[in-house]
Amino acid sequence: TANGTKEEADPRKRFISATAANYFGLDPAAAPAALRARPELSGFLDDGSEFLLVVQRSGAGLSASNKIETTDSVNNVLVFFKLRPDVITEDNLHSNILVSSMLDSPINSLYQAVRQVFAPVLLKDEKWSKTLDPKLQKLLSELEAGLSTVLRRSDPNCTGAEFTEDDVQAILTPTDEFQFWKECAQRGNKLRDKERASHFKDLFEDLAKHYYNLDSLSLLEVVDLVETTKDTVDNVWRQTEHDPYPQPRMHNLLDVIGSCLGRFVQRKLTTLNLWEDAFHIVKENIKAGILICEQWVSACEYLTGQLWQRYTLHQWKNEKYIPESLIELCKRLDEVLIVRTLHEKLTYFLPSGEQNDLHLAQVFEPFAGLNPVHCNPYTEPLWKAAVSQFERIIAPAEQKMAIKLKKFISEIQDSPQQLLQTFQKYKELIKHPNTSKELLFERETLLARLQDYVKDYQTDFETRCHGVPGDVSGPLSGKNLSEVVNNIVWVRQLEMKVDDAIKLAEALLSDLSGFQTFLRSAGSFLEQLKVYEQEQFDDWSRNIQSEVSNPKSGLCIQANSPVMELDHVFGTLNILYSDRLVTLLREVRQLSALGFVIPAKIQHVANTAQKFSKQAVILKQVAHFYNSIDQQMIESQKPMMLQSALAFEQIIKHSKSGPGGNAQITWDNPRELEAYIQKLQAAAERLSTENRKLRKWHTNFIEKVISLMNIDLLRQQQRWRDGLQELRTGFASLESQEDLQSSAVVGSVPLTC
């Protein structure tokens, strides 16, 4: 008992035991009693040469040791160690003991300490970076990079270069994931694995650059980056060149991307004063932040809940992934925007005198000292309390605003469009309980209007859905859209209008008796639109797959088929790449952008067509030139271009490749095809240039002959001779350049008076 009393009275042991108890979640007054009696603790405190004290959880208490054991235990470890080889006293207790925890593994603990604590201080802090030798700075950077590489290995104890794709403990950011595949591509043992890793590295390459420099981007730039990220992870998941991307790894990647985007939005918005900065600046930035969060949430739900679940070659198993933290952040940002918008609308509607009486200048005081973008269970009660206090402050102003708004709405209720716009504009105000109660009649009028709108949309849809796009009784038509894409885009626009009506009703009218009826009818119509949209796509898929099997459809391009043929009956050059393939490529691209999964058979045809599309476009241009050049020539000049025309035609007729030129040039020989195209283009350019030159001379001669006809031969003989000499010089120039066949043409022109 006496010893126990002495141990409790020892401030050094109290410090160690209380620190350990707090770390392991034990009662500092009771649980560590056994720890204070441990000889290892006394040795650490009283022996200057004992540098280390290791504390671990042991049952309901704590155990101590003077060395770190290498075990497979997953228990957390708390380490006390000395800066100097001294006995610990009350005076040096807080200056000679360092405390560190070790979680998971010593490698991970060291890596995180270097990455999160020491590297930022020693490499970025101006004071310490100046005093640290550049060589040491480089070594510290290399240590951080080396530790991160080790963590990405399959087994910390392995000496080889093996990686496991299921272990994602070291993947904390998107950059970590991109680096993982880069290292796999460099260090893999098997060639096949290295090629696969290299493929993923290449797919991620452009994205990696953006995430590495994420903080240099603006919120609006990251809005675009989210869409690029969605496309990239989709390409990675649906690639078929190599073994598929593991689902646990993709799940983790989607999660760390969401966390990364959320932290980025928080950092950017923290640079603003969300309560005092100009409303339009705050609104623009918060909306961009909300859009980033919403886009990634939507992307994850769509990819893992729809697209990848239907992708049979690599199907997403189990439930869809939803980034909950981004949803919470999005909700908080929306609440901040509502608070600012409420204040803005009130100050807009109320004169300055009333604003002062209602203390609108002090409405943001409840949020003082609270960072609104920090969203977690600990800040949520504080945020709710601040919002509640804010609402109490604005309640009188809100009451006055409701009366003015009621009067304004009564003046425009006969104009449905204006009524809708007003409710949209003041939605944040109107959905507040006090205002909502005051505008009960107006909200019932809005509900009736929304019902009429949806009914009108439905009638219009049912009238047009079976017609031809552009007709009076058909879907509205857009530019450069095939029928299937046009119909789906038309229906999507209707879906957006109905969805907007539902969202407005849910925000403002959910307490009204007719709300559920409206919701059911609008939801039923929305489902009708989605069924029509899917039917359009399914019909297109069936038709295209049927055409692909038909050799005469123009969709059956084969890699080893000839690139062109000469019609000996009509003398026309035909490129064996139909316009239907061009249309199919556009349709596949547009339907994919609209979120449809293209059947593998159609996608294969589109991929083949895409491979040859560039050459096909060039060849079609050459073919058009060949088929129309005779119409561009002046009849009397055709003999003068006979030699160039024959040379061009010889290249067309002898489109052979291989030894001895006995095989036709096909699509699957890109090198020979490219050389042949260049030869064709050169011949076409020579013929075209010659034709342009002769047409120019022809026009020039006409102008000169007309000018000669207007000369008075009696009074202006010298001018006549000069003009005639110019003609002779021009003909002489042509005669020296052209074949003797040109004499048949020039001989018919009178050169003397």
Side-chain angles (χ1 to χ4, degrees):
T1 307
N3 286 338
T5 305
K6 288 179 182 177
E7 288 164 0
E8 289 177 11
D10 189 335
R12 304 173 306 160
K13 293 186 176 182
R14 281 205 312 272
F15 167 73
I16 299 288
S17 60
T19 302
N22 284 323
Y23 177 74
F24 289 104
L26 302 175
D27 181 1
L35 176 63
R36 290 196 292 268
R38 298 283 300 191
E40 292 88 352
L41 174 57
S42 299
F44 174 71
L45 295 172
D46 299 330
D47 185 348
S49 61
E50 192 66 74
F51 275 83
L52 204 65
L53 177 68
V54 180
V55 181
Q56 285 182 282
R57 185 75 180 261
S58 178
L62 299 172
S63 66
S65 173
N66 292 123
K67 63 178 180 179
I68 297 177
E69 301 288 346
T70 306
T71 67
D72 295 330
S73 172
V74 295
N75 293 334
N76 295 353
V77 176
L78 190 64
V79 183
F80 298 85
F81 55 101
K82 296 175 184 176
L83 284 173
R84 294 174 298 278
D86 290 337
V87 172
I88 300 300
T89 66
E90 286 188 63
D91 295 331
N92 67 12
L93 180 63
H94 298 290
S95 61
N96 196 24
I97 294 181
L98 291 178
V99 185
S100 176
S101 59
M102 189 180 297
L103 310 176
D104 189 32
S105 76
I107 296 173
N108 195 20
S109 298
L110 177 59
Y111 169 63
Q112 297 301 339
V114 172
R115 180 187 188 186
Q116 309 292 354
V117 181
F118 299 107
V121 169
L122 296 175
L123 301 180
K124 296 178 183 178
D125 184 271
E126 188 176 343
K127 174 187 174 184
W128 292 105
S129 63
K130 283 181 179 178
T131 57
L132 192 65
D133 187 281
K135 187 176 181 181
L136 289 175
Q137 291 184 356
K138 182 183 178 185
L139 287 172
L140 185 60
S141 299
E142 290 175 353
L143 173 64
E144 181 185 346
L147 289 170
S148 70
T149 300
V150 172
L151 278 175
R152 286 189 279 269
R153 301 280 179 87
S154 61
D155 181 357
N157 299 316
C158 75
T159 56
E162 297 177 6
F163 290 82
T164 176
E165 295 180 7
D166 294 329
D167 184 5
V168 292
Q169 65 168 341
I171 308 300
L172 307 177
T173 68
T175 303
D176 291 337
E177 180 69 8
F178 308 148
Q179 186 66 23
F180 170 82
W181 293 109
K182 185 177 180 181
E183 290 167 0
C184 285
Q186 294 170 346
R187 301 170 183 269
N189 287 331
K190 298 176 182 176
L191 178 61
R192 186 180 66 180
D193 293 341
K194 290 176 74 173
E195 287 177 347
R196 175 170 173 268
S198 183
H199 180 61
F200 288 140
K201 175 187 76 73
D202 292 342
L203 288 174
F204 282 130
E205 192 166 8
D206 288 339
L207 206 60
K209 295 173 186 174
H210 293 300
Y211 277 93
Y212 186 76
N213 299 303
L214 190 63
D215 283 337
S216 66
L217 303 178
S218 68
L219 283 162
L220 290 176
E221 286 172 328
V222 174
V223 170
D224 295 332
L225 178 60
V226 173
E227 192 61 32
T228 305
T229 306
K230 174 189 171 185
D231 292 340
T232 300
V233 296
D234 183 35
N235 291 337
V236 167
W237 182 264
R238 293 203 286 162
Q239 62 82 33
T240 54
E241 290 88 341
H242 300 277
D243 289 344
Y245 201 86
Q247 181 165 327
R249 193 156 203 99
M250 180 58 77
H251 187 284
N252 184 71
L253 177 58
L254 297 178
D255 187 53
V256 297
I257 288 173
S259 299
C260 179
L261 292 172
R263 292 192 300 271
F264 168 79
V265 169
Q266 288 174 320
R267 286 195 300 273
K268 287 293 183 181
L269 293 180
T270 301
T271 62
L272 299 173
N273 187 324
L274 296 177
W275 308 122
E276 294 181 10
D277 285 350
F279 175 70
H280 71 278
I281 295 174
V282 173
K283 179 182 177 182
E284 179 184 334
N285 282 273
I286 290 183
K287 281 199 166 184
I290 290 173
L291 190 55
I292 290 169
C293 298
E294 285 180 342
Q295 278 192 326
W296 188 242
V297 170
S298 175
C300 292
E301 288 184 330
Y302 172 67
L303 293 174
T304 63
Q306 295 182 49
L307 188 61
W308 295 348
Q309 297 241 357
R310 299 196 301 263
Y311 187 61
T312 53
L313 296 177
H314 187 199
Q315 193 171 25
W316 182 270
K317 307 292 184 184
N318 305 325
E319 294 295 317
K320 65 182 177 183
Y321 166 71
I322 301 174
E324 300 288 351
S325 61
L326 276 192
I327 292 175
E328 291 301 315
L329 177 59
C330 190
K331 180 184 172 187
R332 172 65 64 82
L333 295 181
D334 193 49
E335 289 172 347
V336 174
L337 186 57
I338 287 172
V339 168
R340 279 301 311 256
T341 305
L342 274 170
H343 178 261
E344 187 71 12
K345 301 297 182 189
L346 289 172
T347 53
Y348 175 77
F349 250 84
L350 299 176
S352 56
E354 291 185 20
Q355 290 179 33
N356 294 332
D357 294 341
L358 297 168
H359 307 292
L360 283 187
Q362 287 82 44
V363 292
F364 297 132
E365 287 181 357
F367 302 105
L370 185 65
N371 190 330
V373 299
H374 288 168
C375 180
N376 57 59
Y378 298 98
T379 62
E380 189 65 21
L382 297 173
W383 171 256
K384 285 183 176 177
V387 171
S388 179
Q389 192 176 344
F390 164 79
E391 289 178 342
R392 283 197 299 272
I393 293 172
I394 68 163
E398 191 181 355
Q399 185 66 31
K400 287 198 170 191
M401 170 75 183
I403 295 169
K404 293 189 175 188
L405 200 54
K406 187 180 182 73
K407 182 181 177 184
F408 178 70
I409 291 174
S410 67
E411 294 170 355
I412 61 166
Q413 62 182 352
D414 293 332
S415 172
Q417 196 62 38
Q418 212 173 346
L419 184 70
L420 268 177
Q421 290 173 353
T422 301
F423 273 97
Q424 282 283 12
K425 186 176 181 180
Y426 299 105
K427 182 170 66 176
E428 292 80 8
L429 271 174
I430 295 170
K431 68 182 179 184
H432 260 241
N434 293 338
T435 311
S436 180
K437 193 183 298 182
E438 187 69 35
L439 298 175
L440 177 61
F441 173 75
E442 288 74 14
R443 291 190 299 119
E444 287 176 342
T445 303
L446 174 65
L447 181 59
R449 292 280 186 269
L450 290 177
Q451 287 172 328
D452 291 341
Y453 271 126
V454 172
K455 196 175 292 181
D456 290 344
Y457 292 146
Q458 188 164 8
T459 302
D460 187 56
F461 167 73
E462 290 170 351
T463 303
R464 294 176 178 273
C465 66
H466 299 297
V468 177
D471 287 357
V472 177
S473 59
L476 301 177
S477 63
K479 290 183 178 179
N480 301 321
L481 298 177
S482 64
E483 183 170 347
V484 62
V485 177
N486 184 90
N487 291 352
I488 290 172
V489 169
W490 168 63
V491 167
R492 285 277 174 96
Q493 290 171 341
L494 284 175
E495 285 175 14
M496 287 174 63
K497 290 175 181 177
V498 175
D499 195 48
D500 286 345
I502 290 173
K503 285 179 179 175
L504 185 61
E506 286 175 336
L508 304 179
L509 313 173
S510 59
D511 60 317
L512 301 182
S513 57
F515 171 73
Q516 291 300 332
T517 304
F518 166 76
L519 206 57
R520 281 193 296 273
S521 62
S524 174
F525 176 45
L526 206 54
E527 188 60 33
Q528 185 182 353
L529 293 175
K530 291 184 183 298
V531 168
Y532 172 84
E533 180 185 313
Q534 191 61 43
E535 285 175 349
Q536 290 288 310
F537 177 74
D538 292 342
D539 289 344
W540 174 83
S541 298
R542 281 192 296 272
N543 292 337
I544 295 297
Q545 291 185 77
S546 173
E547 287 185 56
V548 167
S549 306
N550 180 6
K552 297 180 180 179
S553 66
L555 295 182
C556 297
I557 185 172
Q558 298 295 326
N560 59 356
S561 63
V563 299
M564 61 187 184
E565 64 179 9
L566 195 60
D567 189 325
H568 296 290
V569 178
F570 298 101
T572 56
L573 178 64
N574 300 319
I575 305 303
L576 301 179
Y577 188 100
S578 73
D579 292 337
R580 186 70 189 88
L581 276 172
V582 178
T583 305
L584 176 67
L585 274 177
R586 190 165 61 245
E587 287 176 342
V588 167
R589 198 161 48 243
Q590 291 170 340
L591 289 169
S592 296
L594 289 167
F596 291 96
V597 181
I598 308 299
K601 192 175 181 181
I602 299 176
Q603 189 65 60
H604 176 70
V605 173
N607 291 343
T608 306
Q610 181 65 47
K611 231 164 40 172
F612 309 128
S613 62
K614 184 180 177 183
Q615 291 94 333
V617 169
I618 297 171
L619 285 170
K620 280 179 178 288
Q621 291 170 348
V622 173
H624 175 73
F625 173 77
Y626 177 82
N627 296 333
S628 62
I629 184 63
D630 64 321
Q631 299 167 21
Q632 299 172 31
M633 293 179 184
I634 297 171
E635 192 66 32
S636 62
Q637 291 182 343
K638 285 182 180 180
M640 302 171 73
M641 286 183 284
L642 185 59
Q643 188 174 344
S644 297
L646 287 173
F648 183 45
E649 192 168 26
Q650 284 297 106
I651 297 173
I652 299 290
K653 288 181 176 179
H654 296 87
S655 56
K656 306 292 181 183
S657 66
N662 54 5
Q664 284 187 303
I665 290 178
T666 57
W667 294 107
D668 60 355
N669 197 331
R671 184 175 296 177
E672 288 188 357
L673 179 57
E674 194 65 37
Y676 181 67
I677 287 175
Q678 288 178 3
K679 195 188 295 183
L680 270 178
Q681 285 181 304
E685 183 59 31
R686 279 196 299 272
L687 188 56
S688 179
T689 302
E690 191 171 351
N691 186 46
R692 284 197 303 270
K693 183 180 68 175
L694 287 173
R695 289 180 71 93
K696 185 177 179 181
W697 275 108
H698 183 78
T699 305
N700 193 21
F701 288 152
I702 289 173
E703 290 173 354
K704 290 185 182 300
V705 169
I706 291 173
S707 67
L708 285 175
M709 292 172 66
N710 292 324
I711 293 175
D712 188 331
L713 291 175
L714 295 176
R715 297 179 181 177
Q716 298 173 306
Q717 287 189 20
Q718 188 57 45
R719 188 177 167 192
W720 166 266
R721 291 191 187 93
D722 292 342
L724 191 59
Q725 186 57 44
E726 284 181 23
L727 271 174
R728 284 176 172 149
T729 303
F731 282 126
S733 174
L734 273 178
E735 284 175 342
S736 66
Q737 298 173 39
E738 302 296 339
D739 193 83
L740 289 175
Q741 297 168 19
S742 61
S743 61
V745 179
V746 298
S748 63
V749 180
L751 299 182
T752 58
C753 60

